[in-house]
Amino acid sequence: MNYTQLKSKTWFKIISNKYVIILLVFGVWMLFFDSNSWLIHQELDQELKELKNNKTYYEEEILNDKKTIKDLNHPVAIEKYARENYFMKKDNEEVFIIEYQDSLKTTLND
């Protein structure tokens, strides 16, 4: 196929139009190479979703902590919390920590 036959084809006329070429170059540039490209926007959208998920998680944790603080207003509740979470004891007490068999890590030596 020579150049004159190729030049007479409609698809070649459309593709070789200078405005179409400029539009294609501009589109490729904006999608992939520009600092505000589509790829950058996808990464930023993903990061925004992660940050929103983190925000909801931390808001729930704040509510849980506020509830815990509200519950710890009484000395009896503070003592219970310290005993359960930090294994604290009074001076004249002994504390025994009981671990059940299914909660222990075991290794099998065959």
Side-chain angles (χ1 to χ4, degrees):
M1 186 182 274
N2 60 18
Y3 183 68
T4 55
Q5 290 174 339
L6 187 65
K7 202 174 176 185
S8 65
K9 303 277 184 185
T10 12
W11 63 268
F12 183 76
K13 287 181 182 179
I14 293 171
I15 292 177
S16 64
N17 187 339
K18 63 181 175 181
Y19 297 111
V20 172
I21 292 172
I22 290 172
L23 184 64
L24 286 174
V25 169
F26 177 75
V28 168
W29 179 264
M30 291 306 289
L31 282 175
F32 300 107
F33 301 115
D34 192 44
S35 63
N36 297 318
S37 71
W38 179 75
L39 297 173
I40 299 294
H41 278 282
Q42 293 302 316
E43 291 174 8
L44 292 174
D45 287 341
Q46 180 66 30
E47 186 177 341
L48 185 63
K49 286 179 187 177
E50 291 174 7
L51 290 172
K52 284 182 180 180
N53 289 338
N54 285 345
K55 179 184 175 188
T56 57
Y57 169 76
Y58 287 121
E59 285 174 346
E60 290 172 1
E61 288 297 315
I62 287 171
L63 290 176
N64 290 337
D65 290 343
K66 284 182 180 180
K67 182 180 177 276
T68 304
I69 290 171
K70 183 180 176 185
D71 292 343
L72 292 177
N73 282 337
H74 303 291
V76 175
I78 293 174
E79 183 178 343
K80 179 182 176 189
Y81 186 81
R83 287 174 177 267
E84 290 175 355
N85 294 327
Y86 298 108
F87 306 113
M88 292 186 165
K89 64 180 186 78
K90 293 182 181 178
D91 290 334
N92 58 354
E93 289 182 328
E94 289 186 27
V95 176
F96 297 98
I97 299 172
I98 300 172
E99 293 183 358
Y100 295 102
Q101 185 66 27
D102 59 348
S103 67
L104 296 175
K105 292 182 182 179
T106 58
T107 57
L108 297 175
N109 294 328
D110 292 326

